Amino acid sequence: MSPPSLIDTHPNLSDTAPVALSYELFPPRSPAAAETLWTTIRELETTEPDYVSVTYGASGSNRDTAVELINRLLLETTLRPLAHLTCVGNTPQELAGIIGELLDTGVRGILALRGDLPKDGGEPVPGALRYAQDLIELVRRVEQRRSALLCAGKIAVGVAAYPTRHPESPSEAHDVEVLLAKQRSGADFAITQVFFRAEQYADLLTRARRAGVTIPIIPGVMPLTSLRRLKRLGELAGVEPAPELMERLGAADSDLDRLHIGVNATVDLANAALEAGAPGIHLYTFNEHQSALEVLDKLALPRRIHASSGRNIAARQLAG
Ligand code: FAD
């Protein structure tokens, strides 16, 4: 057996990495929504997330507002955007153009997604990409062509992962095979769909690692403080909401009660995911900061934060 290398024995390299923190935002649909969003962005910025992801409508339905939001994040904030990109209904030529545009604005992270299929079923667009895996390969192709512009650096490519079966998938085992295929095509990390039971995330990790998936799988958690939103989410994402959470939210008689219930449930879920080995937490914010910040305060993630940050519990705890 060879002796441990210098790298193996270096004391600072045996530290565990800080937990990653990120938020999901969506492009605003009106000037009033934009104003609220920018209040949220400024509040979230004080927590120094590692990145914020910006959603993208299936078939590029909100391309301009998404690109505009990403541009402003890059120009006016300290935040690093992760641009979602969907491929359903788009040809490789169209998508290569969008990828190039994102890279030109300074984006260095793309979440490569298929996007939801149109509800009416519609005719598939001739020559359009079919799966997220195709989009990953296209991003890598564009990256290769622009290698000199990127100083031979890399674009971080993320993908979706599913703690509960994707609605179109025959089984959870198939979902893991797809995740493995996405890793082989060049995905660097995955963010999960929402889930309501910690064991669903832990089981996904176990199944994925057993199948050979080695990339980080970051749990996506959503502070659920509204019964209406919980039901809508169930319909949209095909994820069955936890009945006990629905019951408790239904029985609550004030917004404040609902906030406490939703925040506490999210903190428990995130803590259990961290316990299961999650390398970070991705918070679905619905463009609202209050519940996200409350979750963060209660989670007290072990993170390194610059001294200028006004709102960081980990830093406050270290200081106190
Ligand atoms: P894929 O990985 O392509 O999978 C789609 C389906 O095809 C699955 O059922 C899969 O099992 C199957 N499949 C994949 N590859 C193969 C193959 N080679 N052979 C056979 N079957 C295959 N949607 C948006 O419109 N905009 C967003 O911004 C957005 N952000 C999201 C962020 C996250 C973190 C997550 C988890 C989802 C997001 N979605 C978004 C939703 C996503 O687009 C849908 O869940 C969509 O239905 C599937 O996308 P995917 O990237 O997982 O697709």
Side-chain angles (χ1 to χ4, degrees):
M1 200 171 82
S2 54
S5 73
L6 266 181
I7 293 171
D8 290 336
T9 54
H10 194 287
N12 292 339
L13 294 176
S14 55
D15 284 359
T16 47
V19 171
L21 171 69
S22 52
Y23 303 108
E24 181 185 280
L25 303 171
F26 57 84
R29 297 189 186 109
S30 68
E35 207 172 302
T36 319
L37 170 63
W38 275 91
T39 305
T40 289
I41 288 171
R42 290 301 175 197
E43 287 285 336
L44 297 179
E45 192 179 12
T46 65
T47 67
E48 298 188 11
D50 296 286
Y51 56 93
V52 290
S53 80
V54 175
T55 65
Y56 191 84
S59 317
S61 50
N62 64 351
R63 172 180 172 164
D64 292 347
T65 39
V67 173
E68 190 190 325
L69 174 57
I70 289 168
N71 235 329
R72 279 194 68 188
L73 287 171
L74 282 163
L75 291 172
E76 298 174 28
T77 76
T78 55
L79 298 165
R80 266 185 297 267
L82 170 72
H84 295 211
L85 188 58
T86 60
C87 62
V88 66
N90 282 118
T91 63
Q93 293 75 12
E94 288 163 340
L95 288 161
I98 301 165
I99 297 164
E101 191 181 340
L102 289 170
L103 298 184
D104 288 344
T105 63
V107 167
R108 292 295 178 267
I110 292 180
L111 193 66
L113 302 149
R114 185 197 64 180
D116 284 322
L117 297 175
K119 291 258 175 307
D120 58 13
E123 280 298 301
V125 176
L129 297 191
R130 201 159 163 211
Y131 296 121
Q133 191 185 350
D134 304 321
L135 181 57
I136 301 165
E137 288 169 14
L138 182 66
V139 173
R140 290 298 182 214
R141 190 78 65 85
V142 174
E143 173 186 60
Q144 209 175 16
R145 270 201 229 117
R146 292 177 164 239
S147 181
L149 292 174
L150 297 166
C151 308
K154 280 191 58 167
I155 300 163
V157 179
V159 292
Y162 298 89
T164 57
R165 187 180 59 79
H166 182 268
E168 294 161 46
S169 168
S171 65
E172 290 176 344
H174 174 84
D175 285 336
V176 166
E177 278 172 35
V178 169
L179 183 57
L180 185 63
K182 293 196 268 196
Q183 171 180 294
R184 287 198 181 120
S185 291
D188 296 305
F189 67 100
I191 301 179
T192 75
Q193 183 58 283
V194 283
F195 59 97
F196 294 105
R197 298 192 187 286
E199 60 272 20
Q200 292 167 335
Y201 172 75
D203 288 351
L204 168 65
L205 267 193
T206 308
R207 281 184 277 114
R209 297 297 179 239
R210 224 176 258 156
V213 176
T214 53
I215 55 175
I217 302 176
I218 299 159
V221 294
M222 184 180 284
L224 287 159
T225 55
S226 142
L227 197 57
R228 188 181 49 83
R229 191 171 282 169
L230 194 57
K231 285 183 181 156
R232 178 103 182 96
L233 180 75
E235 289 161 19
L236 282 177
V239 179
E240 196 64 37
E244 58 277 17
L245 181 57
M246 290 184 62
E247 241 168 65
R248 287 170 59 211
L249 285 173
D253 45 23
S254 71
D255 284 348
L256 193 63
D257 269 359
R258 279 183 280 277
L259 180 71
H260 286 316
I261 292 167
V263 164
N264 287 338
T266 310
V267 169
D268 290 346
L269 196 63
N271 273 331
L274 290 168
E275 191 92 344
I281 296 291
H282 183 67
L283 277 168
Y284 292 107
T285 66
F286 273 106
N287 287 3
E288 290 164 6
H289 56 274
Q290 188 187 10
S291 48
L293 292 180
E294 295 228 2
V295 167
L296 196 62
D297 276 1
K298 290 195 169 180
L299 268 179
L301 299 175
R303 305 183 61 236
R304 272 183 244 281
I305 290 287
H306 297 113
S308 61
S309 171
R311 184 198 292 272
N312 183 271
I313 287 298
R316 283 214 293 271
Q317 283 179 338
L318 284 175

